[in-house]
Amino acid sequence: ASIPASLEGHRLAGHRLAGSKANRDVSTMKHCSLIALLVFGLSPLAEASLGAHYAAHEPLQVIANKVGPFNNPSETYEYYSLPFCSRTKKRRREDFGERLVGDRKVVSPYEITFLDNVPWRLLCEQSFSQAELRMFTHAIENDYYFEMFIEDLPMWGYIGEVEGEDVLLGHLETVRRYIYPHLHFSIGYNTDQVVSVNVSTNPQRKVDITEEFDGTEVAFSYSVEWLARLDLKWGSRMSRYHDSRFLPGTFEIHWLSIINSFVLVLLLTAFLTIIMMRVLKNDFSRYMEVEEDEIGEEETGWKLINGDVFRFPPFANGLTALLGAGAHLLCVTLLLLICAISNCIVPTKRGAILTAMIILYACTAPIGGFVSARLYRQIGGKAWLSNALVTATVFPIPLVLVFTWVNSVALAHGSSAALPVVAVFIITALYGLVALPLTLGGAILGRQLSSDFNAPCRTTRLPREIPTDAPWFRTPAAQMSLLRALRPTTNS
């Protein structure tokens, strides 16, 4: 394999172009690193922002991560759960965020060195039993894909294909199942950094495994091609994944649905404001026209409940706890968006957003306790400790119940999406040692800083009786159904 002659020239040109912006880039990275350290407690980003530099013929690791059906991205399994050749027990060290997203990375036996093209190289020859061939057959019939990484850049490919399948009738007797034993790696470089990776299969070298004979031999091989990508900088190397067909749907932004929802909310708000203003204007006009001795007549319309609007609710503990938990989650969402917009979260760092979200939730726990305890004290609540505990658990308890069920199903099926015991223990300790005490501290502070509740209008002694003979379309069930029908929907 030959080294491109322009490598040294590209490297010198890159250094000259980067010289004028070096100070500014370093300053920006330092600020982002400091923010990340203070907000999340994450590792500094300066080293990650610079990227790895390679010399000629320096080896690169190809990391095998997982396999799973293409139509169900949440169902994933370890890469070597299928009987690929040259299995290795050498695992790559995984961060906490990578475990959260279900990564189980293993160093694969593919040997790739920087700037060395490989036309063809045999990886191994392996003889499969009938049981192992059935595993491949099941994976191919369910459109399994695999995921690999080079320099934290993901790449995807299919394990095999089915030929002769009828779309309406499904699998027939005449269908053939083929496995792809050859992988072609296309790696893009800019001076001495890896900026793009891609893996493709060669349909000309597929192997028929339909018969599932015991002792079927398959030769796995690969090839490597290096491509110069001087137009693609290391910091922008994730931009090419925006239009990737393998990109999870959670990464896609449905701008049309967002604009549709935003416009609909604005219209509903405008209509409601116009109606309320017309009602108030008519009432004020009527009051200005009547005599003073006629003002004492029976009130009608919205004024019937003016003495019950600020009446203290019967379940104050639950109401204030929900308000505190909502304020807590709103603060976490805003801080997470700010950190994402300010590029303090590395996009190539797997699970960085989930890690930041968990740590932000624990660190901002005093906000929920403060809002809940302050309002609870204003409306006459006495059991502040019970209120603080309800605030701290009103969101985690339903979340834990759902997580327990989902994680148990994933463990029962051997999926890599199941959260390991160590990660569960870390999250539990973070909640018990950080979030819960901070919630109690915020509740104490909110209780001490609260003042008496001063309603803007008088509250009657006795609550007004709610009529029970309302028509069916004014019942809570009908109103909730109507609200659900009017709510804007998002297309996935």
Side-chain angles (χ1 to χ4, degrees), residues 140 159-161 163 176-180 206-209:
I140 294 172
I159 294 177
E161 66 172 348
E163 286 188 358
R176 313 299 298 179
R177 302 168 187 86
Y178 297 92
I179 187 175
Y180 295 143
K206 58 187 178 183
V207 176
D208 190 353
I209 59 171

Side-chain angles (χ1 to χ4, degrees), residues 213-226:
F213 290 124
D214 196 7
T216 301
E217 291 189 358
V218 177
F220 290 88
S221 59
Y222 66 99
S223 56
V224 182
E225 180 184 11
W226 288 88

Side-chain angles (χ1 to χ4, degrees), residues 46-296:
E47 182 180 355
S49 300
L50 291 175
H53 297 265
Y54 290 91
H57 314 298
E58 187 175 351
L60 284 79
Q61 286 186 342
V62 179
I63 306 299
N65 187 22
K66 58 189 177 183
V67 295
F70 178 75
N71 294 323
N72 187 13
S74 60
E75 181 186 354
T76 57
Y77 306 93
E78 294 187 14
Y79 181 80
Y80 284 113
S81 61
L82 293 178
F84 290 107
C85 69
S86 299
R87 283 185 251 184
T88 176
K89 296 183 178 180
K90 183 180 179 182
R91 290 185 174 272
R92 183 182 178 184
R93 183 181 176 275
E94 297 165 348
D95 296 333
F96 177 69
E98 292 177 334
R99 291 184 175 273
L100 289 179
V101 297
D103 286 352
R104 302 296 182 266
K105 295 181 178 180
V106 180
V107 180
S108 68
Y110 294 96
E111 297 179 357
I112 297 178
T113 53
F114 192 69
L115 297 180
D116 292 334
N117 293 323
V118 179
W120 184 88
R121 181 178 294 170
L122 178 66
L123 184 65
C124 73
E125 291 183 352
Q126 184 166 340
S127 178
F128 294 106
S129 62
Q130 289 185 353
E132 293 174 331
L133 290 177
R134 290 193 195 99
M135 296 175 64
F136 276 119
T137 299
H138 173 77
I140 294 172
E141 290 178 349
N142 288 275
D143 294 330
Y144 269 42
Y145 72 96
F146 63 86
E147 183 182 53
M148 292 182 175
F149 290 89
I150 295 179
E151 275 298 296
D152 290 332
L153 292 175
M155 48 188 176
W156 303 274
Y158 285 104
I159 294 177
E161 66 172 348
V162 177
E163 286 188 358
E165 179 184 11
D166 190 277
V167 178
L168 298 178
L169 301 179
H171 297 292
L172 302 175
E173 296 287 338
T174 57
V175 298
R176 313 299 298 179
R177 302 168 187 86
Y178 297 92
I179 187 175
Y180 295 143
H182 182 83
L183 299 181
H184 178 72
F185 297 96
S186 299
I187 308 175
Y189 69 94
N190 188 342
T191 63
D192 55 354
Q193 290 184 304
V194 176
V195 294
S196 68
V197 295
N198 186 41
V199 62
S200 57
T201 54
N202 190 346
Q204 304 298 327
R205 297 181 177 178
K206 58 187 178 183
V207 176
D208 190 353
I209 59 171
T210 307
E211 304 300 334
E212 297 181 355
F213 290 124
D214 196 7
T216 301
E217 291 189 358
V218 177
F220 290 88
S221 59
Y222 66 99
S223 56
V224 182
E225 180 184 11
W226 288 88
L227 305 172
R229 294 293 305 273
L230 301 180
D231 59 320
L232 184 60
K233 303 299 182 182
W234 193 93
S236 306
R237 59 182 189 157
M238 293 298 293
S239 60
R240 60 182 297 269
Y241 292 99
H242 292 168
D243 300 326
S244 174
R245 57 180 298 191
F246 278 97
L247 190 66
T250 53
F251 289 170
E252 299 176 3
I253 301 177
H254 301 279
W255 292 109
L256 183 60
S257 300
I258 293 175
I259 296 174
N260 179 34
S261 303
F262 184 70
V263 171
L264 188 57
V265 168
L266 289 181
L267 289 176
L268 292 177
T269 305
F271 292 156
L272 182 61
T273 303
I274 293 173
I275 293 173
M276 293 297 297
M277 292 300 294
R278 289 177 62 88
V279 171
L280 291 175
K281 183 178 180 180
N282 293 334
D283 288 339
F284 288 146
S285 300
R286 187 169 61 86
Y287 283 148
M288 295 298 293
E289 294 174 358
V290 299
E291 301 293 337
E292 291 185 0
D293 54 352
E294 298 179 2
I295 296 181

Side-chain angles (χ1 to χ4, degrees), residues 24 43 219 247 396 426:
R24 185 177 59 185
S43 58
L247 190 66
I426 293 174

Side-chain angles (χ1 to χ4, degrees), residues 429-445:
L430 192 63
Y431 172 79
L433 300 178
V434 179
L436 186 59
L438 288 179
T439 304
L440 296 177
I444 295 174
L445 185 62

